[in-house]
Amino acid sequence: MKKEKSKPGKQELYQLDLLHKLSLGLIIPLLVFTACHHTTTTADSSVTFGKVVTAANVDSTNSPTALADTFSPTQKTIYVVAEAKQVAPGTRIAASWTRDGTPVQVSGEVVADKGYHDTNIEFHLNAGVDGFAPGKYKVQLVINGQPGPDANFTVK
């Protein structure tokens, strides 16, 4: 004998609707959290980065104190700060700076003497005698000789 499907009652429909709303309430914030808290892991897994930002100044822990992506030509120093979630011992990190696609400077390489977690890595570019030339700049982190995350900024 074939059993007929019964239509769901009000209680079942309410439970399904509530379950749907609850799942959306959990999924959407998770998607937003994931999109807003981007991390980058290098190809060799030696470093995991959070945000990479440019700033007009940093404090004693290398945390940016004046985030900026536009600077005046009279700015004395421009900083790039990488939020490093994990850095393996022996990892080599440098910063390559360009203006309008032309190399400006490669900041000195640092080598992790031990493993680090939740720290800031800072590189900076000092202005020349005549200040910074106007243009579109990019600073690319170089991890163990390979391109890593980057940040863009403008001098005008």
Side-chain angles (χ1 to χ4, degrees):
M1 183 175 227
K2 190 174 181 182
K3 193 173 184 179
E4 286 187 37
K5 286 186 179 179
S6 62
K7 289 186 178 180
K10 276 188 172 183
Q11 181 64 27
E12 288 88 3
L13 287 174
Y14 173 77
Q15 288 173 338
L16 286 172
D17 186 51
L18 183 60
L19 180 62
H20 181 251
K21 287 178 182 173
L22 282 174
S23 66
L24 284 178
L26 294 173
I27 292 171
I28 290 173
L30 180 61
L31 292 173
V32 170
F33 177 80
T34 303
C36 293
H37 291 84
H38 177 72
T39 58
T40 303
T41 303
T42 58
D44 63 3
S45 301
S46 60
V47 182
T48 302
F49 289 108
K51 296 180 207 171
V52 177
V53 298
T54 53
N57 205 356
V58 296
D59 66 17
S60 62
T61 66
N62 290 335
S63 294
T65 58
L67 292 176
D69 60 7
T70 302
F71 298 90
S72 163
T74 60
Q75 177 76 30
K76 299 289 183 210
T77 305
I78 297 174
Y79 298 86
V80 62
V81 179
E83 182 182 67
K85 301 292 187 183
Q86 146 194 321
V87 181
T91 301
R92 300 179 337 254
I93 305 171
S96 176
W97 305 77
T98 59
R99 182 185 74 250
D100 299 323
T102 302
V104 174
Q105 175 182 313
V106 176
S107 297
E109 184 176 82
V110 296
V111 180
D113 58 344
K114 61 181 183 177
Y116 290 91
H117 299 279
D118 299 320
T119 192
N120 291 313
I121 300 171
E122 171 271 323
F123 293 96
H124 56 273
L125 184 63
N126 292 318
V129 175
D130 297 326
F132 284 103
K136 294 188 181 299
Y137 287 73
K138 177 179 178 178
V139 56
Q140 173 102 49
L141 296 181
V142 180
I143 317 309
N144 295 326
Q146 299 301 312
D150 59 45
N152 296 295
F153 62 95
T154 303
V155 173
K156 60 179 179 178

